Amino acid sequence: MSTERRDPIARRARRVLIALLVAVTALIGALGAGVTFSDANWSPRLGLDLEGGTQFVLRPVTEGGQGVSSEQLEQARDIIVQRIDSQGTSGAEVTTQGNENIVVAMAGRPSAEQEDAIRASSQMQFRPVLATFVGSPQPEPTATESGASEGGEPESSGEGSSESPSASPGSSSPTSASRDRARVAPAEQSSPPQSEGSEGSEPAESASSSATPTEGEEGAGDSATSSAPQGGQAGADPFGWEPSGEPTSPTDPNNISKETYEKFVDLDCSAQSSQVPETNPDEAITACSEDGSLKYLLGPQVVAGSSITDAAAGYQTTPQGQITNTPEISLSFDSEATKTYSEVSSDLVALPNLGQTPANPPSSYNALATVLDGTVLVAPGFREAIPNGTASITGSFTIEEARALAQSLKFGALPLSFEVQSKADISPTLGSEQLRFGIIAGIVGLLLVVGYSIFQYRALALVTIGSMTVAFGLTYLAIALLSWGYNYRLDMAGVTGLIIAIGVTADSFIVYFERVRDELREGRNLRAAVEAGWERAKRTILVADGVNFIAAAVLYVLASSGVRGFAFTLGLTTLIDLAVFWFFTHPLLTLLARRKFFASGSPWSGFEVETLQQAGVRYRGRAQFDLPSERKPRAGVTSDGGAVL
Amino acid sequence: MSRIATFGNDLYTGRRSIDFVGRAKTWYAISAVILVVALLGFVVRGMNLGLEFTGGSEFRVATAGAPSDYTTRATDAVRETAGAGASANVSVIGGSTVRVQTEELTSDEVRAVTEDLAGQFDVQPAEVSASLIGPSWGESVSQQALRALVVFLALTAVLLALYFRAWKMALAALIALAHDMLITVGIYTWSGFEISPATVIGFLTVLGYSLYDTVVVFDKVRENTADAFETRRQTFAEAANLAVNQTLVRSINTTVIAVLPIIAVLVIGFARLGPGTLVDLSLALFVGMTVGAFSSVFIATPLLAQLRSRDRAVVELDEEAARYHERHPAQQSAPATVGAGTGSHAATGSERQSTPTRPREEAPADPDAPQTVTGRTVHKYAQAGPRNQPRRTPRSKR
């Protein structure tokens, strides 16, 4: 023992082993902490094919049957996420795949309605607002004062009035007079004439600020919600409604049928629904704001979203070219829509603004909602007619919100339909059966490998088994941690990869042991042979694992999504194999080589020096050997040479 | 155990040697037969592309035990929804799971068939797995698989060229790779299994493994032939053959260990699971790894020796080595020269292995050569004595 203490190699080996132990303990600790304090789990999360569930692959296509850009794909993904959220499906995962597909994975099996709602086509439309109301039923809709006393009142929030969302001709507009007016002093700008429907006597900006909450930004959003009770005094149905005649224009409240109105009254934006969003451009529809705080009754479509040519967010610039810190969204339309938009805006601008309280009885208002997939993105009022097809929306949103909104306007503009590329409902029974037999196969495979290494390497197999155990533990930990931190899910392909990896891991031991044996054959003692063998095996293993890892990475990139898990676990285990080999197998063997049992070359040690050296070959280098003459082979001795074939 | 170790010793030192290079024609013939059988698979059975590529619907019903009239029941369930003309491909996999494959159905039809199947087999609808693959999805999966194959092969070729920096080595490795691929795909076709994305990734993995196997052997070949070029005592073919022999134990061990878990998966998978990711992948890997190990030993190296046998440097080396052997006829420690005379040698090599010294030893050309008591010639090193010590190269270069 005392000699070992003075042996620097052994000391280093022992230190490495201890470090590994510490690292593994730390990993276990991390996972344990995750389990205790967070939502981690001791067992890895399983993929759909093992756990059961449903997976759709949807491909969004535009009207012409074409694929979509990556931004549009993201937009489409958001739409799907929203739809699923509104259904209250928990634990669903929506991811994009490649540049054209959206993968929806959920536990359980959706009903036919849910499924239809998820893959209904989406369309952006501009529709006039005919009525608004608080998004969800108020439990106590009596407190008329409370709302006003909260800080959400338009006059109390300075920016609420000055930064109300209102569409005005954009900066590229050639009509300078009105543009200047709109840009220089939006807050002071005289409002369009107010009239009957509007309860507030505030100027237009503040009136339209009640439309602001549609974007869901904080300040004005609060004001809308808090002031909601004011308008909601009459409960869920403050205004009975019966159309008084045939509608004459999209802004005519007569577009609203009795049924639609009842639907509007019943609509609860906070409740989950699996309704397919209404998109019929000729009929009035109901819709919710993004945050669900407001519900809308919207007239027929006046402009289709597909006529948006561009939308961008930026800071408003004064005519002098100075950049203010007011975020704005500029929107441009194609030539055909320009005309319509101009007409609509001149019609709307003459109408009363939406009341500051959300309870607006069905009427015609100066507000044009942009509705995407049953959700109102924004519903600004007009300050003036917009003749040139370039509108600018300002409001109390931050630049980030403005950018997000511009993105939605730009990429949600095209009508999208979703093609079902593939769909799989996997029964949990079948999935768990697959997993069970996969695990059984893995264990049997492991035993076979262990058996073979005992046969080949006798006591050395202990090193193999030990290393395999450590590798297994590390892999398990890594997968559990990845499940927790990166939402990784172990699927059948991944399990297969793990089983295949048993062989890869064992291979590195074989390379090492064979190298050590080669060194023994050259007449070294075990200690020296282990060191020399390590030096040589190291390079081989690095190359081998490097090749494997690169192959796994390439496969991961190239493989179709269903079998990606295979490449992933293959790559992961390759890395772990390297770590185990470096930090466990080698130090362990170094220490064992100092044990008498191994060093003396016991026939059961796997390094039976006697046998290995009995060839008596003395290695001269360059694959040249000294063979004792009496041991020279007899011509034609074929003993077991043929057996290998 | 000791016999294996001794065997390993002997292979390592070249005392016992299997003539891989010399008997190239035999190996080629064997692999040609396998190749023909594999290729026949394409003709006879055709590529059986799975649902993921062609599009369609598949249902799997987890029953407690498949009833004997499962085909009728399943077909009825399908026809109820899809019309009387609809065809269904029904089979039982893994003993208790009924698999039904149909034409592509719509999402609603899939739902209806799922319920009908559940009714027919008296299970909960949740026990029925259903998958639906649209035609365009299948197309994109096929394209992806094809692209993966092309990219992987291109990468492999580049890697080979970079690694070996000798086009003949790269070519030999590439031929071995193509050989593995064709046999793997052919045998897979014979198995009647559908080719699924899992199979494709299996094939690609096989490419990687097979390439790696070849690289290990070629590495040693390069090392040994570099020695031969310096010492001028071995022909190129002898040096290459020694390399294969020296890596043989490793090749066998590696392959056995890699294949063992796969065999376990295959046996259990065949018995209990039926076609699926696990079995498809394992089958492709099993065939591919076995063939890959075979080809790196029996095809790649002999091919390399033949490709290089007409190189001027190799011809010169072979001549010098032959002269050396003539000067020291009884001292040969490596198998007889092969080089250009591959064919004739293969013809004479009727024994399973060509032990060192065979051809010339038999010739009584040099009766004066030093002999042991038993009448065998004294080894050249023993004969030449210490004066013959070669230079020792530094450790790092060995």
Side-chain angles (χ1 to χ4, degrees):
Chain A
M1 278 295 126
S2 58
T3 49
E4 269 186 42
R5 201 142 292 164
R6 263 178 265 120
D7 181 348
I9 294 176
R11 213 168 51 206
R12 205 185 320 140
R14 210 168 288 124
R15 223 178 285 153
V16 170
L17 278 180
I18 290 169
L20 179 74
L21 187 72
V22 170
V24 171
T25 318
L27 281 181
I28 295 174
L31 186 60
V35 172
T36 320
F37 304 111
S38 184
D39 58 346
N41 226 322
W42 283 115
S43 57
R45 283 147 51 97
L46 296 178
L48 269 182
D49 54 349
L50 296 179
E51 206 177 39
T54 301
Q55 183 185 51
F56 302 91
V57 178
L58 300 171
R59 178 165 169 257
V61 281
T62 56
E63 244 167 5
Q66 284 162 341
V68 294
S69 68
S70 57
E71 289 91 354
Q72 281 170 329
L73 187 67
E74 281 302 314
Q75 187 74 33
R77 192 186 77 98
D78 291 346
I79 291 173
I80 300 277
V81 169
Q82 220 155 37
R83 287 174 178 178
I84 290 177
D85 284 349
S86 75
Q87 291 181 353
T89 313
S90 62
E93 279 172 22
V94 186
T95 47
T96 57
Q97 177 193 88
N99 274 328
E100 50 179 10
N101 291 316
I102 295 173
V103 184
V104 183
M106 57 176 89
R109 205 166 283 197
S111 68
E113 295 78 43
Q114 283 178 319
E115 197 183 310
D116 288 345
I118 290 172
R119 58 187 174 85
S121 48
S122 96
Q123 215 171 342
M124 184 184 278
Q125 294 167 328
F126 289 90
R127 291 169 178 264
V129 177
L130 300 181
T132 61
F133 198 73
V134 184
S136 48
Q138 297 290 311
E140 292 293 323
T142 48
T144 44
E145 303 303 312
S146 65
S149 62
E150 281 176 38
E153 273 296 278
E155 58 267 300
S156 65
S157 66
E159 75 246 54
S161 62
S162 65
E163 295 177 9
S164 63
S166 53
S168 56
S171 46
S172 62
S173 153
T175 58
S176 57
S178 63
R179 187 190 61 198
D180 285 356
R181 214 156 47 92
R183 293 254 246 47
V184 170
E188 293 159 34
Q189 190 191 329
S190 64
S191 61
Q194 301 284 310
S195 60
E196 66 286 351
S198 179
E199 285 162 52
S201 57
E202 293 296 317
E205 292 80 23
S206 63
S208 53
S209 83
S210 65
T212 313
T214 56
E215 299 125 31
E217 74 279 10
E218 318 81 3
D222 288 346
S223 97
T225 349
S226 55
S227 58
Q230 284 181 308
Q233 64 287 72
D237 187 7
F239 321 98
W241 179 256
E242 195 85 49
S244 57
E246 286 302 301
T248 52
S249 73
T251 50
D252 190 338
N254 282 336
N255 279 300
I256 309 167
S257 67
K258 195 167 172 8
E259 293 76 41
T260 312
Y261 188 73
E262 275 162 11
K263 209 166 136 196
F264 173 65
V265 171
D266 292 339
L267 180 64
D268 181 355
C269 286
S270 62
Q272 284 131 11
S273 85
S274 49
Q275 294 263 309
V276 179
E278 300 157 279
T279 50
N280 187 339
D282 300 326
E283 278 176 20
I285 62 161
T286 58
C288 290
S289 65
E290 269 186 299
D291 60 358
S293 63
L294 270 184
K295 58 183 174 183
Y296 288 85
L297 192 47
L298 304 172
Q301 165 184 306
V302 288
V303 177
S306 53
S307 42
I308 295 179
T309 52
D310 198 14
Y315 288 103
Q316 202 173 30
T317 43
T318 66
Q320 285 78 39
Q322 277 182 311
I323 297 168
T324 66
N325 51 9
T326 314
E328 78 168 346
I329 296 160
S330 51
L331 202 58
S332 41
F333 293 90
D334 62 18
S335 54
E336 203 178 318
T338 302
K339 199 162 145 278
T340 332
Y341 199 70
S342 146
E343 285 164 13
V344 169
S345 56
S346 53
D347 284 349
L348 285 178
V349 85
L351 294 170
N353 282 296
L354 280 173
Q356 56 184 310
T357 61
N360 290 293
S363 177
S364 307
Y365 296 104
N366 175 16
L368 189 64
T370 311
V371 53
L372 173 63
D373 197 42
T375 307
V376 174
L377 298 176
V378 63
F382 288 93
R383 290 204 185 101
E384 65 261 315
I386 294 168
N388 58 356
T390 317
S392 128
I393 303 172
T394 52
S396 58
F397 33 69
T398 65
I399 187 70
E400 285 78 23
E401 285 162 344
R403 285 204 180 109
L405 191 54
Q407 286 276 315
S408 297
L409 287 170
K410 188 172 173 184
F411 300 113
L414 285 177
L416 290 180
S417 50
F418 295 94
E419 279 178 5
V420 177
Q421 296 284 305
S422 77
K423 182 192 153 200
D425 295 326
I426 290 127
S427 112
T429 323
L430 277 179
S432 61
E433 194 180 332
Q434 292 259 330
L435 182 62
R436 194 157 58 96
F437 287 117
I439 290 175
I440 292 177
I443 293 173
V444 172
L446 201 61
L447 289 180
L448 283 176
V449 168
V450 166
Y452 184 78
S453 63
I454 290 178
F455 166 70
Q456 271 281 10
Y457 298 109
R458 306 291 148 109
L460 267 189
L462 279 178
V463 179
T464 314
I465 296 168
S467 305
M468 294 286 232
T469 313
V470 174
F472 175 79
L474 277 177
T475 311
Y476 189 89
L477 275 176
I479 287 179
L481 283 170
L482 283 172
S483 294
W484 173 40
Y486 294 92
N487 238 349
Y488 173 75
R489 280 172 177 271
L490 184 65
D491 56 8
M492 200 62 221
V495 173
T496 316
L498 290 179
I499 300 174
I500 306 287
I502 296 174
V504 179
T505 313
D507 179 43
S508 50
F509 308 137
I510 293 177
V511 170
Y512 188 20
F513 295 163
E514 286 299 327
R515 281 295 194 183
V516 175
R517 283 180 166 191
D518 285 352
E519 299 298 324
L520 287 174
R521 283 179 190 132
E522 289 168 17
R524 292 200 168 78
N525 68 25
L526 186 59
R527 249 189 231 202
V530 165
E531 287 313 308
W534 163 247
E535 287 303 320
R536 291 171 155 222
K538 197 158 70 173
R539 231 187 47 202
T540 315
I541 301 290
L542 271 180
V543 173
D545 279 353
V547 169
N548 274 337
F549 188 76
I550 292 172
V554 174
L555 282 180
Y556 185 82
V557 175
L558 293 176
S560 63
S561 60
V563 288
R564 232 175 222 176
F566 175 75
F568 184 84
T569 45
L570 213 57
L572 180 73
T573 46
T574 305
L575 290 183
I576 288 176
D577 170 46
L578 209 56
V580 168
F581 188 66
W582 226 263
F583 302 120
F584 184 79
T585 314
H586 172 54
L588 188 65
L589 203 61
T590 308
L591 292 180
L592 285 182
R594 283 154 174 76
R595 297 264 156 209
K596 208 174 160 207
F597 174 71
F598 286 95
S600 64
S602 153
W604 293 97
S605 68
F607 287 139
E608 54 290 59
V609 185
E610 284 294 297
T611 322
L612 290 171
Q613 289 180 346
Q614 80 173 350
V617 280
R618 208 148 52 72
Y619 189 68
R620 288 186 176 192
R622 298 178 171 262
Q624 311 269 325
F625 303 91
D626 288 342
L627 289 171
S629 55
E630 71 273 17
R631 282 188 183 279
K632 282 200 344 180
R634 204 180 290 269
V637 169
T638 55
S639 58
D640 46 5
V644 193
L645 312 177
Chain B
M1 172 64 201
S2 68
R3 279 182 66 173
I4 293 175
T6 319
F7 181 56
N9 284 347
D10 293 350
L11 287 176
Y12 189 78
T13 56
R15 201 160 59 146
R16 176 175 298 162
S17 167
I18 302 165
D19 193 6
F20 293 108
V21 174
R23 306 189 62 196
K25 287 211 166 153
T26 317
W27 319 130
Y28 292 169
I30 293 174
S31 95
V33 169
I34 302 174
L35 207 57
V36 166
V37 170
L39 289 180
L40 267 180
F42 289 105
V43 183
V44 178
R45 305 198 65 142
M47 295 264 268
N48 186 4
L49 285 179
L51 211 64
E52 287 89 345
F53 295 107
T54 56
S57 309
E58 184 186 288
F59 302 88
R60 289 187 181 209
V61 191
T63 60
S68 53
D69 58 341
Y70 66 90
T71 315
T72 347
R73 290 195 193 199
T75 315
D76 284 353
V78 173
R79 291 202 172 143
E80 206 162 303
T81 305
S87 64
N89 187 356
V90 190
S91 55
V92 170
I93 52 175
S96 60
T97 304
V98 178
R99 182 179 70 168
V100 185
Q101 291 180 315
T102 67
E103 306 280 287
E104 195 197 339
L105 304 170
T106 67
S107 208
D108 293 332
E109 284 171 337
V110 166
R111 190 178 299 280
V113 172
T114 303
E115 266 152 33
D116 288 341
L117 279 174
Q120 287 282 359
F121 289 97
D122 202 21
V123 293
Q124 293 295 315
E127 304 284 283
V128 183
S129 285
S131 58
L132 161 69
I133 311 286
S136 59
W137 176 249
E139 208 170 281
S140 75
V141 168
S142 310
Q143 273 174 2
Q144 200 170 21
L146 209 63
R147 197 191 60 193
L149 195 68
V150 171
V151 171
F152 209 82
L153 276 178
L155 273 177
T156 311
V158 170
L159 203 80
L160 280 173
L162 283 180
Y163 189 81
F164 292 121
R165 266 164 282 153
W167 68 270
K168 283 185 175 170
M169 268 196 172
L171 181 68
L174 217 57
I175 291 176
L177 217 58
H179 165 266
D180 298 348
M181 208 57 202
L182 284 175
I183 292 183
T184 311
V185 178
I187 292 181
Y188 194 91
T189 314
W190 271 116
S191 79
F193 270 45
E194 284 173 351
I195 292 181
S196 65
T199 320
V200 173
I201 200 176
F203 289 158
L204 293 183
T205 316
V206 163
L207 276 182
Y209 274 119
S210 148
L211 173 68
Y212 175 62
D213 254 2
T214 311
V215 166
V216 169
V217 177
F218 275 16
D219 241 6
K220 192 75 184 165
V221 169
R222 195 158 58 171
E223 197 181 312
N224 283 9
T225 51
D227 281 343
F229 275 117
E230 207 172 299
T231 59
R232 296 288 179 190
R233 286 182 186 177
Q234 271 180 313
T235 64
F236 186 87
E238 285 167 353
N241 200 43
L242 182 63
V244 183
N245 278 293
Q246 287 177 334
T247 48
L248 188 62
V249 169
R250 185 223 162 242
S251 290
I252 293 172
N253 276 347
T254 302
T255 311
V256 168
I257 284 248
V259 163
L260 277 178
I262 301 180
I263 291 176
V265 170
L266 273 184
V267 170
I268 291 173
F270 266 121
R272 303 310 304 265
L273 288 177
T277 311
L278 191 69
V279 175
D280 290 0
L281 243 172
S282 317
L283 183 63
L285 283 174
F286 174 69
V287 179
M289 281 183 174
T290 320
V291 179
F294 171 83
S295 79
S296 62
V297 169
F298 290 93
I299 304 294
T301 316
L303 204 61
L304 175 68
Q306 282 194 332
L307 278 175
R308 294 210 54 182
S309 65
R310 306 230 181 284
D311 283 10
R312 177 176 296 185
V314 171
V315 171
E316 278 171 12
L317 169 70
D318 288 355
E319 279 168 6
E320 274 193 54
R323 274 203 295 279
Y324 175 81
H325 288 320
E326 251 159 56
R327 268 185 276 120
H328 311 271
Q331 295 165 13
Q332 259 177 270
S333 64
T337 171
V338 182
T342 313
S344 62
H345 182 79
T348 58
S350 52
E351 293 163 35
R352 290 292 291 171
Q353 68 185 60
S354 116
T355 40
T357 73
R358 191 182 351 85
R360 285 189 181 80
E361 193 190 44
E362 285 158 4
D366 192 1
D368 301 331
Q371 289 189 329
T372 61
V373 234
T374 51
R376 279 177 290 132
T377 48
V378 169
H379 189 270
K380 62 172 174 178
Y381 296 135
Q383 201 181 30
R387 275 177 301 162
N388 213 13
Q389 292 269 3
R391 271 183 296 122
R392 281 191 91 100
T393 41
R395 277 213 61 84
S396 58
K397 294 216 174 142
R398 269 181 244 151

